[in-house]
Coordinates of all heavy atoms in Angstrom, one line a residue:
E14 N -28.1 -12.1 -17.1 CA -28.4 -13.5 -17.4 C -27.5 -14.0 -18.5 O -27.1 -15.1 -18.5 CB -29.9 -13.5 -17.9 CG -30.4 -14.9 -18.2 CD -31.8 -15.0 -18.5 OE1 -32.6 -14.4 -17.8 OE2 -32.1 -15.6 -19.6
R15 N -27.2 -13.1 -19.5 CA -26.3 -13.5 -20.6 C -24.9 -13.8 -20.1 O -24.2 -14.7 -20.5 CB -26.3 -12.5 -21.7 CG -27.6 -12.4 -22.4 CD -27.5 -11.4 -23.6 NE -26.5 -10.4 -23.5 CZ -26.5 -9.4 -24.3 NH1 -27.3 -9.2 -25.2 NH2 -25.5 -8.5 -24.1
V16 N -24.4 -13.0 -19.1 CA -23.1 -13.2 -18.6 C -23.1 -14.5 -17.8 O -22.1 -15.3 -18.0 CB -22.7 -12.0 -17.7 CG1 -21.4 -12.3 -17.0 CG2 -22.6 -10.8 -18.5
A17 N -24.1 -14.8 -17.0 CA -24.1 -16.1 -16.2 C -24.1 -17.3 -17.2 O -23.5 -18.3 -17.0 CB -25.3 -16.1 -15.3
T18 N -24.9 -17.2 -18.3 CA -25.0 -18.2 -19.3 C -23.6 -18.5 -19.9 O -23.1 -19.6 -20.1 CB -26.0 -17.9 -20.3 OG1 -27.3 -17.8 -19.7 CG2 -26.1 -19.0 -21.4
W19 N -22.9 -17.4 -20.2 CA -21.6 -17.5 -20.8 C -20.6 -18.2 -19.9 O -19.9 -19.1 -20.3 CB -21.0 -16.1 -21.2 CG -19.7 -16.1 -21.8 CD1 -19.4 -16.4 -23.1 CD2 -18.5 -15.8 -21.1 NE1 -18.0 -16.3 -23.3 CE2 -17.4 -15.9 -22.1 CE3 -18.1 -15.5 -19.8 CZ2 -16.1 -15.7 -21.8 CZ3 -16.8 -15.2 -19.5 CH2 -15.8 -15.4 -20.5
F20 N -20.6 -17.7 -18.6 CA -19.7 -18.3 -17.6 C -20.0 -19.8 -17.5 O -19.1 -20.7 -17.4 CB -19.8 -17.6 -16.3 CG -18.9 -16.5 -16.2 CD1 -19.4 -15.2 -16.1 CD2 -17.5 -16.6 -16.2 CE1 -18.6 -14.1 -16.0 CE2 -16.7 -15.5 -16.1 CZ -17.2 -14.2 -16.0
A21 N -21.3 -20.2 -17.4 CA -21.6 -21.6 -17.3 C -21.2 -22.4 -18.4 O -20.7 -23.5 -18.3 CB -23.2 -21.7 -17.1
G22 N -21.2 -21.8 -19.6 CA -20.8 -22.6 -20.8 C -19.3 -22.7 -20.9 O -18.8 -23.8 -21.1
V23 N -18.5 -21.7 -20.6 CA -17.0 -21.8 -20.6 C -16.5 -22.6 -19.5 O -15.4 -23.2 -19.6 CB -16.3 -20.4 -20.7 CG1 -16.8 -19.7 -21.9 CG2 -16.5 -19.6 -19.5
A24 N -17.2 -22.8 -18.4 CA -16.7 -23.6 -17.3 C -16.7 -25.1 -17.5 O -16.2 -25.8 -16.8 CB -17.6 -23.3 -16.0
Q25 N -17.3 -25.5 -18.7 CA -17.3 -26.9 -19.0 C -16.3 -27.3 -20.1 O -16.2 -28.5 -20.4 CB -18.7 -27.2 -19.5 CG -19.8 -26.9 -18.5 CD -19.6 -27.6 -17.2 OE1 -19.3 -28.8 -17.2 NE2 -19.8 -26.9 -16.1
R26 N -15.5 -26.3 -20.6 CA -14.6 -26.6 -21.7 C -13.2 -26.2 -21.4 O -13.0 -25.3 -20.6 CB -15.0 -25.8 -22.9 CG -16.4 -26.1 -23.4 CD -16.6 -25.4 -24.7 NE -17.9 -24.9 -24.8 CZ -18.3 -23.9 -25.6 NH1 -17.5 -23.3 -26.3 NH2 -19.6 -23.6 -25.7
P27 N -12.3 -26.9 -22.1 CA -10.9 -26.5 -21.9 C -10.7 -25.1 -22.4 O -11.3 -24.7 -23.4 CB -10.0 -27.5 -22.7 CG -11.0 -28.3 -23.5 CD -12.4 -28.0 -23.0
Y28 N -9.8 -24.3 -21.8 CA -9.5 -23.0 -22.2 C -8.0 -22.9 -22.4 O -7.2 -23.3 -21.5 CB -9.9 -21.9 -21.2 CG -9.7 -20.5 -21.6 CD1 -10.5 -19.9 -22.6 CD2 -8.6 -19.8 -21.1 CE1 -10.3 -18.6 -23.0 CE2 -8.4 -18.5 -21.5 CZ -9.2 -17.9 -22.4 OH -9.0 -16.6 -22.9
E29 N -7.5 -22.6 -23.6 CA -6.1 -22.6 -23.9 C -5.5 -23.9 -23.6 O -4.4 -24.0 -23.1 CB -5.4 -21.4 -23.2 CG -5.8 -20.0 -23.7 CD -5.5 -19.8 -25.1 OE1 -4.4 -20.0 -25.5 OE2 -6.4 -19.4 -25.9
G30 N -6.3 -25.0 -23.8 CA -5.8 -26.3 -23.6 C -5.8 -26.8 -22.1 O -5.3 -27.9 -21.8
V31 N -6.4 -26.1 -21.2 CA -6.4 -26.4 -19.8 C -7.9 -26.6 -19.4 O -8.7 -25.6 -19.6 CB -5.7 -25.4 -18.9 CG1 -5.7 -25.8 -17.5 CG2 -4.2 -25.2 -19.4
M32 N -8.2 -27.7 -18.7 CA -9.6 -27.9 -18.2 C -9.8 -26.9 -17.0 O -8.8 -26.7 -16.2 CB -9.8 -29.3 -17.8 CG -9.9 -30.3 -19.0 SD -11.2 -29.9 -20.1 CE -12.7 -30.2 -19.1
P33 N -11.0 -26.4 -16.8 CA -11.2 -25.5 -15.7 C -10.8 -26.1 -14.3 O -10.3 -25.4 -13.4 CB -12.7 -25.3 -15.8 CG -13.0 -25.4 -17.2 CD -12.1 -26.5 -17.7
A34 N -11.0 -27.4 -14.1 CA -10.7 -28.0 -12.8 C -9.2 -28.0 -12.6 O -8.8 -28.2 -11.4 CB -11.2 -29.5 -12.8
Q35 N -8.4 -27.8 -13.6 CA -6.9 -27.8 -13.4 C -6.4 -26.4 -13.4 O -5.2 -26.2 -13.5 CB -6.3 -28.6 -14.6 CG -6.7 -30.1 -14.5 CD -6.4 -30.8 -15.8 OE1 -6.3 -30.2 -16.9 NE2 -6.1 -32.1 -15.6
M36 N -7.2 -25.4 -13.3 CA -6.8 -24.0 -13.3 C -6.8 -23.4 -11.9 O -7.5 -23.9 -11.0 CB -7.8 -23.1 -14.1 CG -7.8 -23.3 -15.6 SD -9.0 -22.2 -16.3 CE -9.2 -23.0 -17.9
S37 N -6.0 -22.4 -11.7 CA -6.1 -21.6 -10.5 C -6.5 -20.2 -10.9 O -6.3 -19.8 -12.0 CB -4.8 -21.6 -9.7 OG -3.8 -20.9 -10.5
V38 N -7.2 -19.6 -9.9 CA -7.8 -18.3 -10.2 C -7.3 -17.3 -9.1 O -7.3 -17.7 -7.9 CB -9.3 -18.3 -10.3 CG1 -9.9 -17.0 -10.5 CG2 -9.8 -19.3 -11.3
E39 N -6.9 -16.1 -9.5 CA -6.4 -15.1 -8.5 C -7.1 -13.8 -8.8 O -7.1 -13.3 -10.0 CB -4.9 -15.0 -8.6 CG -4.3 -14.1 -7.6 CD -2.8 -14.0 -7.8 OE1 -2.2 -14.5 -8.7 OE2 -2.2 -13.3 -6.9
L40 N -7.7 -13.2 -7.8 CA -8.3 -11.9 -7.9 C -7.1 -10.9 -7.8 O -6.4 -10.9 -6.8 CB -9.3 -11.6 -6.9 CG -10.6 -12.5 -7.0 CD1 -11.5 -12.2 -5.8 CD2 -11.3 -12.3 -8.3
V41 N -7.0 -10.0 -8.8 CA -5.9 -9.0 -8.8 C -6.4 -7.7 -9.3 O -7.5 -7.5 -9.7 CB -4.8 -9.5 -9.7 CG1 -4.2 -10.8 -9.2 CG2 -5.2 -9.6 -11.1
E42 N -5.5 -6.7 -9.3 CA -5.7 -5.4 -9.9 C -5.1 -5.4 -11.3 O -3.9 -5.7 -11.4 CB -5.1 -4.3 -9.1 CG -5.4 -2.9 -9.6 CD -4.9 -1.8 -8.7 OE1 -5.3 -1.7 -7.6 OE2 -4.0 -1.1 -9.2
L43 N -5.8 -5.2 -12.3 CA -5.3 -5.1 -13.7 C -5.6 -3.8 -14.3 O -6.8 -3.4 -14.3 CB -6.0 -6.2 -14.5 CG -5.6 -7.7 -14.2 CD1 -6.5 -8.6 -15.0 CD2 -4.2 -8.0 -14.5
N44 N -4.6 -3.0 -14.6 CA -4.8 -1.7 -15.2 C -5.7 -0.8 -14.4 O -6.6 -0.1 -14.8 CB -5.4 -1.8 -16.6 CG -4.5 -2.6 -17.6 OD1 -3.3 -2.5 -17.5 ND2 -5.1 -3.4 -18.5
G45 N -5.5 -0.9 -13.1 CA -6.3 -0.1 -12.1 C -7.7 -0.6 -11.8 O -8.4 0.1 -11.0
S46 N -8.1 -1.7 -12.3 CA -9.4 -2.2 -12.0 C -9.3 -3.7 -11.5 O -8.3 -4.4 -11.8 CB -10.3 -2.2 -13.2 OG -10.4 -0.9 -13.7
P47 N -10.3 -4.1 -10.7 CA -10.3 -5.5 -10.3 C -10.3 -6.5 -11.5 O -11.0 -6.2 -12.5 CB -11.6 -5.7 -9.5 CG -12.0 -4.3 -9.1 CD -11.5 -3.4 -10.2
G48 N -9.6 -7.5 -11.4 CA -9.6 -8.5 -12.5 C -9.3 -9.9 -12.0 O -9.1 -10.1 -10.8
I49 N -9.3 -10.8 -12.9 CA -9.1 -12.2 -12.5 C -8.0 -12.8 -13.5 O -8.0 -12.5 -14.7 CB -10.3 -13.1 -12.8 CG1 -11.5 -12.6 -11.9 CG2 -10.1 -14.6 -12.5 CD1 -12.8 -13.2 -12.2
V50 N -7.0 -13.5 -12.9 CA -5.9 -14.1 -13.6 C -6.2 -15.6 -13.5 O -6.3 -16.2 -12.4 CB -4.5 -13.7 -13.1 CG1 -3.5 -14.5 -13.8 CG2 -4.3 -12.2 -13.3
F51 N -6.2 -16.3 -14.7 CA -6.4 -17.7 -14.8 C -5.0 -18.3 -15.1 O -4.4 -17.9 -16.1 CB -7.4 -18.1 -15.9 CG -8.7 -17.6 -15.6 CD1 -9.2 -16.4 -16.1 CD2 -9.7 -18.4 -14.9 CE1 -10.4 -15.9 -15.9 CE2 -10.9 -17.9 -14.7 CZ -11.3 -16.7 -15.2
S52 N -4.6 -19.3 -14.3 CA -3.3 -20.0 -14.5 C -3.6 -21.5 -14.6 O -4.5 -22.0 -14.0 CB -2.3 -19.7 -13.4 OG -2.1 -18.3 -13.3
G53 N -2.7 -22.1 -15.3 CA -2.8 -23.6 -15.4 C -1.6 -24.1 -16.3 O -1.1 -23.3 -17.1
A54 N -1.3 -25.3 -16.1 CA -0.2 -25.9 -16.9 C 1.1 -25.1 -16.8 O 1.8 -25.0 -17.8 CB -0.6 -26.1 -18.4
G55 N 1.3 -24.5 -15.6 CA 2.5 -23.8 -15.4 C 2.6 -22.4 -16.0 O 3.7 -21.9 -16.1
R56 N 1.5 -21.9 -16.5 CA 1.6 -20.6 -17.1 C 0.3 -19.8 -16.9 O -0.7 -20.4 -16.5 CB 1.8 -20.7 -18.6 CG 0.7 -21.3 -19.4 CD 1.1 -21.7 -20.8 NE -0.1 -21.9 -21.7 CZ -0.9 -22.9 -21.7 NH1 -0.7 -23.9 -20.8 NH2 -1.9 -23.0 -22.6
V57 N 0.4 -18.5 -17.1 CA -0.8 -17.6 -17.1 C -1.5 -17.9 -18.4 O -0.9 -17.8 -19.5 CB -0.5 -16.1 -16.9 CG1 -1.7 -15.3 -17.1 CG2 0.1 -15.9 -15.6
I58 N -2.8 -18.3 -18.4 CA -3.5 -18.6 -19.6 C -4.5 -17.6 -20.0 O -5.0 -17.6 -21.2 CB -4.2 -20.0 -19.6 CG1 -5.1 -20.1 -18.4 CG2 -3.1 -21.1 -19.5 CD1 -5.9 -21.4 -18.4
G59 N -4.9 -16.6 -19.1 CA -5.8 -15.6 -19.5 C -6.1 -14.7 -18.4 O -5.8 -14.9 -17.2
T60 N -6.7 -13.5 -18.7 CA -7.2 -12.6 -17.8 C -8.6 -12.2 -18.1 O -9.0 -12.4 -19.3 CB -6.4 -11.3 -17.7 OG1 -6.4 -10.7 -19.0 CG2 -4.9 -11.6 -17.3
L61 N -9.3 -11.8 -17.1 CA -10.7 -11.3 -17.3 C -11.0 -10.1 -16.5 O -10.6 -10.1 -15.3 CB -11.7 -12.5 -16.9 CG -13.1 -12.1 -17.2 CD1 -13.6 -13.0 -18.4 CD2 -14.0 -12.5 -16.0
T62 N -11.5 -9.1 -17.1 CA -12.0 -7.9 -16.4 C -13.4 -7.6 -16.9 O -13.8 -8.0 -18.0 CB -11.1 -6.7 -16.6 OG1 -11.0 -6.4 -18.0 CG2 -9.7 -6.9 -16.0
L63 N -14.2 -7.0 -16.0 CA -15.6 -6.6 -16.3 C -15.8 -5.1 -16.2 O -15.2 -4.5 -15.3 CB -16.5 -7.3 -15.3 CG -16.4 -8.8 -15.2 CD1 -17.3 -9.3 -14.0 CD2 -16.8 -9.5 -16.5
D64 N -16.5 -4.6 -17.2 CA -17.0 -3.2 -17.0 C -18.4 -3.3 -16.5 O -19.3 -4.0 -17.0 CB -17.1 -2.5 -18.4 CG -15.7 -2.2 -19.0 OD1 -14.7 -2.2 -18.2 OD2 -15.6 -2.1 -20.2
V65 N -18.7 -2.6 -15.4 CA -19.9 -2.6 -14.7 C -20.5 -1.2 -14.8 O -19.8 -0.2 -14.5 CB -19.8 -3.1 -13.3 CG1 -21.1 -3.1 -12.5 CG2 -19.1 -4.4 -13.2
D66 N -21.8 -1.1 -15.1 CA -22.4 0.3 -15.1 C -22.9 0.7 -13.7 O -22.6 0.0 -12.8 CB -23.6 0.3 -16.1 CG -24.8 -0.5 -15.7 OD1 -24.9 -1.0 -14.5 OD2 -25.7 -0.8 -16.6
D67 N -23.4 1.9 -13.7 CA -23.8 2.5 -12.4 C -24.9 1.6 -11.6 O -25.0 1.8 -10.4 CB -24.3 3.9 -12.6 CG -23.3 4.8 -13.0 OD1 -22.1 4.5 -12.8 OD2 -23.6 5.9 -13.6
T68 N -25.6 0.8 -12.3 CA -26.6 -0.1 -11.7 C -26.0 -1.4 -11.2 O -26.8 -2.2 -10.7 CB -27.8 -0.3 -12.6 OG1 -27.4 -1.0 -13.7 CG2 -28.4 1.1 -13.0
G69 N -24.8 -1.7 -11.5 CA -24.1 -2.9 -11.2 C -24.3 -4.0 -12.2 O -23.9 -5.2 -12.0
H70 N -24.8 -3.7 -13.4 CA -24.9 -4.6 -14.5 C -23.6 -4.7 -15.3 O -23.0 -3.7 -15.6 CB -26.0 -4.3 -15.4 CG -27.4 -4.5 -14.8 ND1 -28.0 -3.5 -14.1 CD2 -28.2 -5.6 -14.7 CE1 -29.2 -3.9 -13.7 NE2 -29.3 -5.2 -14.0
V71 N -23.2 -5.9 -15.7 CA -22.0 -6.1 -16.5 C -22.4 -5.6 -17.9 O -23.3 -6.1 -18.5 CB -21.6 -7.5 -16.5 CG1 -20.4 -7.8 -17.5 CG2 -21.2 -8.0 -15.1
V72 N -21.6 -4.7 -18.5 CA -21.8 -4.2 -19.8 C -20.7 -4.7 -20.8 O -21.0 -4.7 -22.0 CB -21.9 -2.6 -19.8 CG1 -23.2 -2.2 -19.1 CG2 -20.7 -2.0 -19.2
N73 N -19.6 -5.1 -20.3 CA -18.5 -5.6 -21.2 C -17.7 -6.6 -20.4 O -17.4 -6.4 -19.2 CB -17.6 -4.5 -21.6 CG -18.2 -3.6 -22.6 OD1 -18.7 -4.0 -23.7 ND2 -18.2 -2.3 -22.3
I74 N -17.3 -7.6 -21.1 CA -16.3 -8.6 -20.6 C -15.1 -8.5 -21.4 O -15.2 -8.6 -22.6 CB -16.9 -10.1 -20.6 CG1 -18.2 -10.2 -19.8 CG2 -15.9 -11.1 -20.2 CD1 -18.9 -11.5 -20.0
H75 N -13.9 -8.3 -20.8 CA -12.7 -8.3 -21.5 C -11.9 -9.5 -21.1 O -11.5 -9.7 -19.9 CB -11.9 -7.0 -21.1 CG -12.7 -5.8 -21.3 ND1 -12.8 -5.2 -22.6 CD2 -13.4 -5.0 -20.5 CE1 -13.5 -4.1 -22.5 NE2 -13.9 -4.0 -21.3
N76 N -11.6 -10.3 -22.1 CA -10.9 -11.6 -21.9 C -9.6 -11.5 -22.7 O -9.7 -11.2 -23.9 CB -11.7 -12.8 -22.3 CG -11.0 -14.1 -22.1 OD1 -10.4 -14.5 -23.1 ND2 -11.1 -14.7 -21.0
V77 N -8.4 -11.7 -22.1 CA -7.2 -11.7 -22.9 C -6.5 -13.0 -22.7 O -6.3 -13.5 -21.6 CB -6.3 -10.6 -22.4 CG1 -4.9 -10.6 -23.1 CG2 -6.9 -9.2 -22.5
A78 N -6.2 -13.7 -23.9 CA -5.5 -14.9 -23.8 C -4.2 -14.9 -24.7 O -3.5 -15.9 -24.8 CB -6.4 -16.1 -24.3
N79 N -4.0 -13.8 -25.4 CA -2.8 -13.6 -26.3 C -1.5 -13.7 -25.4 O -1.4 -12.8 -24.6 CB -2.9 -12.3 -27.0 CG -1.8 -12.1 -28.0 OD1 -0.6 -12.5 -27.7 ND2 -2.1 -11.4 -29.1
P80 N -0.7 -14.7 -25.6 CA 0.6 -14.7 -24.8 C 1.4 -13.5 -24.8 O 2.0 -13.1 -23.8 CB 1.3 -15.9 -25.4 CG 0.3 -16.7 -26.1 CD -0.7 -15.7 -26.6
D81 N 1.4 -12.8 -25.9 CA 2.2 -11.5 -26.0 C 1.6 -10.5 -25.1 O 2.3 -9.7 -24.4 CB 2.3 -11.0 -27.4 CG 3.0 -11.9 -28.4 OD1 3.9 -12.6 -27.9 OD2 2.7 -11.9 -29.6
K82 N 0.3 -10.4 -25.0 CA -0.4 -9.4 -24.1 C -0.3 -9.8 -22.7 O -0.5 -9.0 -21.8 CB -1.8 -9.2 -24.6 CG -1.9 -8.5 -25.9 CD -3.3 -8.3 -26.3 CE -3.3 -7.5 -27.7 NZ -4.7 -7.2 -28.1
L83 N -0.1 -11.1 -22.4 CA -0.1 -11.6 -21.0 C 1.3 -11.5 -20.4 O 1.5 -11.8 -19.2 CB -0.5 -13.0 -21.0 CG -2.0 -13.3 -21.3 CD1 -2.3 -14.7 -21.4 CD2 -2.9 -12.6 -20.3
Q84 N 2.3 -11.0 -21.1 CA 3.7 -11.0 -20.6 C 3.8 -10.2 -19.3 O 4.5 -10.5 -18.4 CB 4.7 -10.4 -21.6 CG 4.9 -11.4 -22.7 CD 5.9 -10.9 -23.8 OE1 6.4 -9.7 -23.6 NE2 6.2 -11.6 -24.8
A85 N 3.1 -9.0 -19.2 CA 3.1 -8.2 -18.0 C 2.5 -8.9 -16.9 O 3.0 -8.8 -15.7 CB 2.4 -6.9 -18.3
V86 N 1.5 -9.7 -17.1 CA 0.8 -10.4 -16.0 C 1.7 -11.6 -15.6 O 1.9 -11.8 -14.4 CB -0.6 -11.0 -16.5 CG1 -1.2 -11.8 -15.4 CG2 -1.5 -9.8 -16.9
T87 N 2.3 -12.2 -16.5 CA 3.2 -13.3 -16.2 C 4.4 -12.8 -15.4 O 4.9 -13.5 -14.5 CB 3.7 -14.0 -17.5 OG1 2.6 -14.4 -18.3 CG2 4.6 -15.1 -17.3
A88 N 4.8 -11.6 -15.6 CA 5.9 -11.0 -14.9 C 5.5 -10.6 -13.5 O 6.3 -10.1 -12.7 CB 6.5 -9.8 -15.6
R89 N 4.2 -10.8 -13.2 CA 3.6 -10.5 -11.9 C 3.6 -9.0 -11.6 O 3.9 -8.6 -10.5 CB 4.2 -11.3 -10.8 CG 4.2 -12.8 -11.0 CD 2.9 -13.4 -11.3 NE 2.0 -13.2 -10.1 CZ 0.7 -13.1 -10.3 NH1 0.1 -13.2 -11.4 NH2 0.0 -13.0 -9.2
T90 N 3.3 -8.2 -12.6 CA 3.2 -6.7 -12.3 C 1.8 -6.4 -11.8 O 1.5 -5.2 -11.6 CB 3.4 -5.9 -13.6 OG1 2.5 -6.3 -14.6 CG2 4.8 -6.1 -14.1
V91 N 1.0 -7.4 -11.5 CA -0.4 -7.2 -11.0 C -0.3 -7.2 -9.5 O 0.7 -7.7 -8.9 CB -1.4 -8.2 -11.5 CG1 -1.6 -8.1 -13.0 CG2 -1.0 -9.6 -11.1
H92 N -1.3 -6.6 -8.8 CA -1.3 -6.6 -7.3 C -2.6 -7.2 -6.8 O -3.6 -6.9 -7.3 CB -1.2 -5.1 -6.9 CG -0.1 -4.4 -7.5 ND1 1.2 -4.6 -7.0 CD2 -0.1 -3.4 -8.4 CE1 2.0 -3.8 -7.7 NE2 1.3 -3.1 -8.6
P93 N -2.5 -8.2 -5.9 CA -3.7 -8.8 -5.4 C -4.7 -7.7 -4.9 O -4.3 -6.7 -4.3 CB -3.2 -9.7 -4.2 CG -1.7 -9.9 -4.6 CD -1.3 -8.7 -5.3
V94 N -5.9 -8.0 -5.1 CA -7.0 -7.1 -4.6 C -7.3 -7.4 -3.2 O -7.4 -8.5 -2.8 CB -8.3 -7.3 -5.5 CG1 -9.4 -6.5 -5.0 CG2 -8.0 -6.9 -6.9

């Protein structure tokens, strides 16, 4: 429930200066796990990965928006899932 509430909240605001309606989303493999890459305004603006426990519940959300940390993603070293 908390994760769904968080997603609903962030879906209404700009992220890194880009409105959600102006973003593209791609499911990819990040560091060996499924992830999401958010792009907009001609650049990668963030990534998101989830840690899920054995029961399927999300226990951690990892969001990266630091441009220095996104260089590998921008270079397209990720692989579509």
Side-chain angles (χ1 to χ4, degrees):
E14 185 176 311
R15 291 185 335 191
V16 172
T18 301
W19 180 80
F20 274 113
V23 299
Q25 303 301 316
R26 299 189 214 157
Y28 183 76
E29 295 296 309
V31 181
M32 290 300 294
Q35 298 167 329
M36 293 180 195
S37 64
V38 177
E39 183 179 6
L40 296 174
V41 299
E42 183 179 299
L43 293 170
N44 299 323
S46 298
I49 302 170
V50 174
F51 296 89
S52 300
R56 67 191 199 286
V57 172
I58 57 175
T60 62
L61 184 105
T62 55
L63 304 174
D64 291 339
V65 181
D66 67 15
D67 293 338
T68 65
H70 290 92
V71 174
V72 293
N73 289 304
I74 299 171
H75 303 279
N76 178 269
V77 176
N79 180 326
D81 294 333
K82 293 183 178 182
L83 294 173
Q84 287 180 3
V86 176
T87 301
R89 307 304 299 151
T90 59
V91 296
H92 306 287
V94 173

